[in-house]
Amino acid sequence: MMENTAPLPGFVPTPLVDPFEIFVGPVFEHGAAGARTYAIRVDARHVNRRGVMHGGMFMTLADLTLGQAVWDATGKAPCATLNMQAQFLEPAVEGDIVQVVPELIRRTRALVFARGDFTVAGRIVFTAASVWKLLGQD
Amino acid sequence: MTFADMAMGQTLRAETGARGSSTVSLNCDFVGPGHLHDVVEARVHVSRRARTMVFLSAELLAGERLLMVASGLWKVVAPS
């Protein structure tokens, strides 16, 4: 399909394991655990008929990147998304680089609260907050 | 989430006759896992239709098993 897998200068590809995430990737990252920046280049697979990034793709990117941050904080503990709240502020178009620095707000024994502001050229286009369950923890 | 967004947007256009719409916010509760080969069905409800904004909710099911509860807010781009 019309994916653009060219490298992103200054970034390395994020190792992805879920087949669905591999399908929509590549996703790129730089920085150390706990303060990583993630980025995706919007390509022809990610857009709707108006040529802007699909809302579902934004939420997939949010789930992927906030999940990576949860994994960084928990030593890749098995976990699942319980809830995600998303706000769509502005469109992103094909060729845009969408970036996020995920924040972990709080961690309890069984839950992690995460959020992120997603930017294009410094402007916030999308925000998401999600609650994660660490599987096997009560 | 993508399927919920699609099904809710499609329902909005079918129910309101709007030619286009934009998702403003979407809240998803992941109630249970969906498995490979599941057929997932979305049941969408229009909670309120205002002049330019529409409130929608949806349940995603595999048979009788609830997978996701979603609610969201859409802006009608081109009212007909």
Side-chain angles (χ1 to χ4, degrees):
Chain A
M1 219 175 140
M2 303 159 284
E3 71 257 44
N4 183 344
T5 56
L8 197 60
F11 287 79
V12 296
T14 297
L16 301 175
V17 292
D18 288 337
F20 178 59
E21 295 183 348
I22 293 166
F23 180 69
V24 300
V27 170
F28 300 92
E29 65 184 46
H30 77 65
R36 285 193 218 279
T37 301
Y38 293 91
I40 194 169
R41 185 192 292 106
V42 181
D43 71 32
R45 301 167 299 158
H46 301 141
V47 299
N48 64 22
R49 63 190 162 160
R50 293 200 300 274
V52 305
M53 182 146 138
H54 195 285
M57 187 57 223
F58 264 121
M59 296 181 81
T60 297
L61 179 65
D63 199 48
L64 188 164
T65 54
L66 300 186
Q68 289 285 329
V70 171
W71 261 19
D72 269 348
T74 59
K76 297 199 173 185
C79 57
T81 318
L82 290 185
N83 167 274
M84 174 174 285
Q85 294 173 272
Q87 298 186 334
F88 303 88
L89 310 181
E90 284 189 35
V93 300
E94 188 176 343
D96 278 351
I97 309 292
V98 180
Q99 297 196 37
V100 62
V101 182
E103 303 165 50
L104 297 189
I105 309 298
R106 175 163 159 74
R107 179 182 173 182
T108 69
R109 198 170 51 249
L111 298 176
V112 182
F113 297 80
R115 67 172 305 284
D117 293 327
F118 293 74
T119 60
V120 173
R123 290 174 67 87
I124 301 177
V125 297
F126 170 78
T127 71
S130 55
V131 182
W132 293 75
K133 176 74 170 60
L134 302 179
L135 300 177
Q137 302 290 323
D138 290 328
Chain B
M1 292 182 285
T2 300
F3 180 52
D5 188 41
M6 287 169 55
M8 294 167 91
Q10 291 279 351
T11 301
L12 182 156
R13 286 187 285 277
E15 294 271 322
T16 68
R19 279 173 300 159
S21 62
S22 295
T23 316
V24 175
S25 73
L26 184 57
N27 180 63
C28 296
D29 291 328
F30 298 85
V31 176
H35 302 290
L36 190 64
H37 307 309
D38 273 355
V39 175
V40 180
E41 181 181 330
R43 294 186 191 160
V44 184
H45 173 68
V46 180
S47 303
R48 177 162 194 270
R49 180 191 174 179
R51 192 170 50 83
T52 59
M53 306 302 296
V54 183
F55 298 80
L56 295 163
S57 64
E59 290 183 337
L60 271 56
L61 301 117
E64 292 301 305
R65 202 158 46 81
L66 188 60
L67 307 186
M68 178 189 280
V69 179
S71 65
L73 177 62
W74 271 257
K75 184 161 198 317
V76 177
V77 170
S80 54

